[in-house]
Amino acid sequence: VWGKQLRNKISNLLKISTPLLKDLGSSFNEFKDLTDNLVDKVGKWVKDRVVQWDRDMQNMLDDQRLSIRVSGRLMEIETRSGNMIVNYSEQLVQLLRDVRQLRGLNFNVSHNIASAASEGEKYYRYGVALKKVANFYNTLDRQIIPCTKSMLKRSLIEFDKRVKSRGGRGEEITWSNSNDCQEYVMLLQKGAEVLSLENRRLRRIHMSMVDEVIALMSIDLLRSKARWKARWSSSHLRIS
């Protein structure tokens, strides 16, 4: 990208400056030769980088360091940390980005690399959605106020069931079945949304109660007993 942008900038600079500087004769010709030479060098450097990238990707596909197919379980819970791990190759994600970028810059992509990218695209949106759910799951402890955790017990259990749910035939859900993938992702997204809304509601109530307590503490009970009682009655009604 950087090389392509630099080449375009130099070409545009030469195009703009030509009507203004062409009367300088040999000095302008020297400037033009230098810019033409730089454009050629940058163009060659860009092509060399693309060829090298193509060669590296071909090698990774040939020795299966980069798998064309997404396979295995969608996600799993890591035993030690308890974190949710999405089994979607980061290398495949990078390949998809590179292919999109190169095509956007009008470079040709080798057939087998394009095929690998096309295969990866089928499941990319599921991978992205699952990573969002995994991030929500892995940071849940930091989002929940400890004293509200028991109130979220039912929603937490329901979400955990969804995470551990299986396919229609009772089999473990894997990337090989796109229908199961779609249903599972939608199931998790719905569960995460319900849990997130419930948690936000409890956080709002908790913070409202904190504000009420602070307001009560700011009133002198001995001097303003009636005002304190009125505030307490208002707070009690909100809590109940």
Side-chain angles (χ1 to χ4, degrees):
V1 176
W2 173 84
K4 193 85 170 181
Q5 289 174 342
L6 178 60
R7 191 181 180 191
N8 289 338
K9 283 183 178 180
I10 296 169
S11 297
N12 288 335
L13 177 64
L14 181 61
K15 185 178 179 181
I16 293 169
S17 61
T18 296
L20 301 173
L21 304 177
K22 63 181 180 180
D23 293 337
L24 296 176
S26 60
S27 296
F28 173 74
N29 291 334
E30 184 178 349
F31 167 74
K32 186 176 181 303
D33 289 341
L34 287 171
T35 53
D36 286 341
N37 186 43
L38 183 56
V39 166
D40 290 341
K41 282 184 177 180
V42 172
K44 184 178 183 302
W45 179 82
V46 170
K47 287 180 181 178
D48 289 345
R49 289 297 299 271
V50 172
V51 169
Q52 184 61 50
W53 173 86
D54 188 279
R55 189 181 297 119
D56 291 343
M57 290 300 105
Q58 298 274 13
N59 291 336
M60 290 178 72
L61 288 169
D62 289 343
D63 61 20
Q64 295 186 340
R65 279 180 291 156
L66 178 60
S67 175
I68 294 179
R69 291 186 173 275
V70 182
S71 59
R73 297 165 63 186
L74 270 73
M75 57 170 56
E76 54 190 310
I77 306 297
E78 196 175 56
T79 305
R80 178 176 292 182
S81 66
N83 285 341
M84 182 185 288
I85 307 297
V86 180
N87 294 318
Y88 190 87
S89 171
E90 289 295 334
Q91 287 182 321
L92 192 51
V93 172
Q94 187 59 51
L95 174 68
L96 298 179
R97 289 173 182 162
D98 289 345
V99 169
R100 289 172 189 162
Q101 199 170 67
L102 290 172
R103 283 174 171 167
L105 295 171
N106 296 319
F107 284 106
N108 292 323
V109 177
S110 298
H111 176 70
N112 59 336
I113 295 176
S115 296
S118 178
E119 183 70 26
E121 284 282 6
K122 293 179 184 178
Y123 298 95
Y124 177 71
R125 62 192 179 100
Y126 300 138
V128 171
L130 286 175
K131 283 184 181 292
K132 288 180 180 178
V133 173
N135 182 63
F136 169 76
Y137 182 89
N138 296 339
T139 59
L140 206 51
D141 277 349
R142 296 195 291 274
Q143 297 177 47
I144 296 175
I145 298 172
C147 63
T148 66
K149 198 165 188 177
S150 60
M151 303 176 202
L152 286 167
K153 186 176 180 180
R154 182 180 296 177
S155 296
L156 286 166
I157 291 172
E158 179 60 29
F159 183 69
D160 192 57
K161 284 180 181 178
R162 291 178 183 233
V163 171
K164 296 173 181 176
S165 62
R166 292 174 172 263
R169 297 185 299 275
E171 299 173 350
E172 207 167 57
I173 300 172
T174 65
W175 291 104
S176 59
N177 190 320
S178 60
N179 289 332
D180 279 354
C181 282
Q182 184 173 0
E183 289 177 9
Y184 182 66
V185 168
M186 290 175 66
L187 187 71
L188 285 190
Q189 286 179 322
K190 181 63 177 176
E193 182 183 355
V194 170
L195 181 55
S196 180
L197 287 172
E198 182 69 9
N199 184 47
R200 285 203 295 269
R201 186 182 70 84
L202 290 174
R203 287 182 71 92
R204 284 196 302 270
I205 295 172
H206 178 84
M207 295 311 298
S208 176
M209 291 171 65
V210 169
D211 291 339
E212 289 293 330
V213 171
I214 292 172
L216 275 172
M217 290 175 67
S218 68
I219 300 172
D220 191 323
L221 180 57
L222 294 176
R223 295 181 180 179
S224 308
K225 191 173 181 180
R227 185 181 164 206
W228 191 94
K229 280 187 173 182
R231 188 79 195 198
W232 168 253
S233 296
S234 174
S235 301
H236 189 266
L237 284 172
R238 287 192 182 187
I239 294 169
S240 58

